Amino acid sequence: MKRLFTSESVTEGHPDKLCDLISDSLLDEYLRGDSNSRVAIETVAGKDTIFITGEVTSKSEVDVEKVVRETIKSIGYFGDCDINYETCNIIINMTTQSPDISLGTNDLVGGAGDQGIMFGYACSETEELMPLPIMLAHKLSKRLSEVRKNNIVEGIGPDGKTQVTVLYDEDKVIGIDTILISTQHRDNKDVELLKKEIIENVINYVVDNSLIMDSTKILINPTGRFVIGGPLGDSGLTGRKIIVDTYGGYARHGGGAFSGKDPTKVDRSAAYMARLLAKNVVWNGYAKKCEIQLSYAIGIPEPISIYIETFNTNTISDEEIIEKIKSKFDLTPRGIIDYLGLREPIYKTTTNYGHFGKNDLPWERKVEF
């Protein structure tokens, strides 16, 4: 049976991703000075204003305003853009972590920072062992930012979105049905030239021609105009792009976002570990497709449950796979943190273009078990 599946991605200048990057950049700075920092930072962006809130307990001295302004600048928001890193308002309203939470997450207890469910997923569609729609959408978004920053395409802004619809026959990829790209641009940018440049320098650069069918549709700025963007065009908020961050809707997502959270928050660390487990179930040949769920209770180290779904693609039983996982991996928060090296300031490298499928991240390593 033929079917269509669509995933989207956004550029680093999207207002929600601006907030994610600010939150993760602050997290990195706290961890750089104190690897045991407890951090849960939320960022809100609106017209000419950035609002920072959340909880931080750390020995680090961080110039929050400086980090925020440098992060906005790094994305490309300066001059007459939608928010100016030099002049925007920055409001800081942070407190320390609740002592009730720290009772269960201190080094003596080593429990989870909250209850929750986390999912990891992998499949054999791509070399990254990720679903094709989300990987292509991320690569198009990343390339869209590259051509802007390197002036390969002039007159485009930091804000943008991509979307890819893939045609399947059962689980086999047939080709791409639709590619949609919306990119912010200067008011005086010729729209037809923009479309031509995006096709030549973004789509043709990223997408293998073998995936393009005679019926493939290319849509670029379908409304015809995208001048106002960033936090001026729409408010931004940390954690509002969780499906972009994970598997593009192809697999389930747990209850929590990632950005701005230190690794004692299992929303983040256990989701990373679940991805490592699922990826290596596929890499080791135990299944062609795998989804794993981990669940935790606040203050309790061991996961409450481990669930696996291999979609009838497994070569050994699901029960055997779970036993292999239990015998190889320590799935307590402390065990995950130590195994993946999550106390290091690595988080702003995860923020954009997906937290999964990047081979240089520790939860993407290949492990025999």
Side-chain angles (χ1 to χ4, degrees):
M1 181 180 70
K2 290 186 178 180
R3 59 190 176 90
L4 298 173
F5 193 88
T6 303
S7 294
E8 73 158 342
S9 179
V10 297
T11 64
E12 58 209 61
H14 186 282
D16 293 330
K17 275 296 154 195
L18 166 66
C19 292
D20 284 344
L21 188 60
I22 289 171
S23 295
D24 276 337
S25 295
L26 287 167
L27 169 61
D28 278 354
E29 288 307 307
Y30 282 108
L31 290 174
R32 202 179 308 279
D34 177 7
S35 63
N36 291 309
S37 294
R38 298 291 192 264
V39 180
I41 293 175
E42 308 290 343
T43 302
V44 182
K47 182 182 177 182
D48 202 38
T49 301
I50 301 292
F51 182 79
I52 308 293
T53 189
E55 303 82 45
V56 175
T57 300
S58 176
K59 296 176 183 177
S60 292
E61 294 291 333
V62 174
D63 187 337
V64 173
E65 181 174 333
K66 180 181 179 182
V67 172
V68 172
R69 294 193 188 279
E70 287 178 347
T71 303
I72 298 170
K73 181 183 179 182
S74 72
I75 292 171
Y77 282 121
F78 44 77
D80 61 349
C81 250
D82 307 289
I83 188 167
N84 188 307
Y85 80 97
E86 293 181 295
T87 60
C88 67
N89 301 310
I90 297 176
I91 302 169
I92 301 168
N93 180 35
M94 295 195 296
T95 185
T96 57
Q97 184 187 66
S98 163
D100 296 340
I101 295 175
S102 63
L103 283 173
T105 62
N106 61 55
D107 289 337
L108 181 64
V109 178
D114 201 351
Q115 70 178 51
I117 58 172
M118 298 84 210
F119 287 94
Y121 181 79
C123 62
S124 55
E125 283 183 23
T126 63
E127 63 180 18
E128 297 90 354
L129 301 184
M130 287 282 287
L132 181 62
I134 189 65
M135 286 309 300
L136 284 178
H138 283 324
K139 289 176 181 180
L140 289 167
S141 288
K142 185 177 182 181
R143 179 61 179 171
L144 191 57
S145 290
E146 289 173 352
V147 299
R148 169 179 61 87
K149 290 183 172 181
N150 295 322
N151 291 317
I152 296 170
V153 177
E154 297 182 348
I156 61 175
D159 198 354
K161 293 183 174 184
T162 67
Q163 190 168 283
V164 176
T165 302
V166 173
L167 175 65
Y168 291 86
D169 189 351
E170 298 297 340
D171 285 337
K172 182 182 178 182
V173 172
I174 302 301
I176 297 173
D177 180 82
T178 306
I179 296 173
L180 168 61
I181 295 180
S182 295
T183 181
Q184 185 184 15
H185 59 87
R186 295 288 183 182
D187 195 21
N188 60 357
K189 180 71 177 183
D190 181 87
V191 176
E192 292 307 313
L193 175 61
L194 174 64
K195 292 180 179 179
K196 180 182 176 182
E197 290 176 323
I198 295 300
I199 291 172
E200 290 180 356
N201 296 287
V202 178
I203 295 175
N204 291 349
Y205 184 89
V206 168
V207 180
D208 191 314
N209 191 57
S210 66
L211 293 171
I212 302 295
M213 307 182 294
D214 292 340
S215 59
T216 299
K217 298 177 285 293
I218 306 293
L219 304 175
I220 298 171
N221 284 22
T223 66
R225 179 180 173 86
F226 183 3
V227 174
I228 298 173
L232 183 60
D234 192 8
S235 62
L237 181 65
T238 298
R240 202 156 56 178
K241 284 290 176 282
I242 58 175
I243 300 304
V244 170
D245 286 344
T246 54
Y247 306 102
Y250 205 92
R252 285 173 283 195
H253 181 88
F258 301 152
S259 291
K261 296 177 180 178
D262 78 77
T264 65
K265 280 74 173 174
V266 284
D267 279 343
R268 186 166 212 165
S269 53
Y272 291 168
M273 192 65 186
R275 162 61 181 171
L276 180 139
L277 298 176
K279 178 175 182 176
N280 283 288
V281 166
V282 175
W283 182 72
N284 279 283
Y286 302 141
K288 292 183 179 179
K289 188 187 296 187
C290 179
E291 184 179 68
I292 288 178
Q293 183 202 60
L294 303 174
S295 70
Y296 291 84
I298 187 168
I300 298 177
E302 295 290 341
I304 300 299
S305 66
I306 304 172
Y307 166 83
I308 186 168
E309 171 63 71
T310 51
F311 308 94
N312 297 317
T313 67
N314 49 314
T315 58
I316 62 174
S317 71
D318 290 350
E319 292 79 11
E320 287 179 273
I321 296 172
I322 289 178
E323 287 306 311
K324 284 178 176 288
I325 288 170
K326 288 181 175 179
S327 65
K328 174 71 175 181
F329 300 101
D330 179 352
L331 298 180
T332 64
R334 183 183 298 163
I336 292 171
I337 289 167
D338 291 345
Y339 184 75
L340 297 179
L342 296 182
R343 295 195 188 278
E344 298 298 316
I346 60 172
Y347 294 99
K348 69 180 180 181
T349 66
T350 71
T351 311
N352 290 298
Y353 317 116
H355 291 244
F356 308 124
K358 301 172 181 174
N359 290 330
D360 57 338
L361 294 174
W363 46 92
E364 295 294 326
R365 74 180 71 159
K366 294 176 179 177
V367 182
E368 292 185 2
F369 68 94

